Amino acid sequence: MTKTIPAYQRIKNAILDNIHSGKWQAGNAISTEMALAEEFGVSRMTVNRALKELSEERVLERRQGSGTFVAQQQFNHTFVEVRNIAEDLKSANRDYEAQVVSKRAITADMLDNELRRKFGIDEGATIDEGATSVNAIAQTDASDEAVLYEVKIIHFADGQPIQFEERWVDAKKVPKFIDQDFSVVNTSDYLIAKSPLESGSYTIRALAAPDEIAEFLQIAPQSPTLVLRRQTYSAGQVVTFVKMWHAGDRYQFSGEL
């Protein structure tokens, strides 16, 4: 079974792609309802629904008699606290260093079931009839096009590995993510700057370290680790999913109630 993407959702996706790519920046006017209706071959009522939902999600701002604009930057501050290990270690007066193990683009045919589920990527998804946007058709048919970016990083405190990060990011929403030097730029800081993180969810589990993880953390295989799995959302969709492995005898989680 293939899944048809409603026309209003295609319009929302296209607008979000233009914002995340930097084509439309905060304060910029977007295409008019009439222009969007012509581009996608739909009624203005369908376009209006897409714009109304994005306005309710505080991505767009509609001004009577003036048009529709990308919401100003005050809406781009993160609404959830995302811990930054680099800042945590520096604030504790410890020397911090990041080493990038690998980074790559992932195409649709490379996805496992977990990543498909996390990012809502349906293997058989197609666009609905009447789609006339060249960009929408190209993105749907290009099976060799990157859908996610993956990066693996070891974080060090005073020369000792303390966290191994495995992260996946929506390639459409943050297209320049893969170009960053993450030995210098922190992944969380970059994502917060580029996408408004509206909400998130996480779990923390104690797991025995697989051989590969143990090697990265310089611990014995099957040693205890604390694994934080977190997904964060922007405009109602998952923008990033991350697994953070911590050597059990070097790291703890704490907070205030």
Side-chain angles (χ1 to χ4, degrees), residues 202-224:
Y202 69 89
T203 61
I204 300 174
R205 294 182 62 190
L207 294 176
D211 291 352
E212 180 185 38
I213 303 300
E215 182 178 354
F216 290 137
L217 291 176
Q218 297 177 17
I219 58 179
Q222 302 304 304
S223 294

Side-chain angles (χ1 to χ4, degrees), residues 121 168 178:
I121 299 173
W168 296 268
I178 199 68

Side-chain angles (χ1 to χ4, degrees), residues 82-140:
V82 176
R83 302 292 299 187
N84 180 337
I85 190 170
E87 293 302 321
D88 285 348
L89 293 175
K90 290 174 183 176
S91 65
N93 295 317
R94 302 186 67 180
D95 291 332
Y96 169 76
E97 180 185 355
Q99 176 186 326
V100 178
V101 174
S102 65
K103 59 180 182 177
R104 63 172 179 160
I106 296 179
T107 57
D109 59 345
M110 297 166 61
L111 293 172
D112 60 24
N113 290 334
E114 181 181 37
L115 291 177
R116 285 188 184 280
R117 184 175 65 255
K118 289 290 185 185
F119 287 88
I121 299 173
D122 192 338
E123 188 171 10
T126 63
I127 59 175
D128 57 349
E129 293 183 6
T132 59
S133 169
V134 174
N135 288 338
I137 294 172
Q139 290 175 7
T140 304

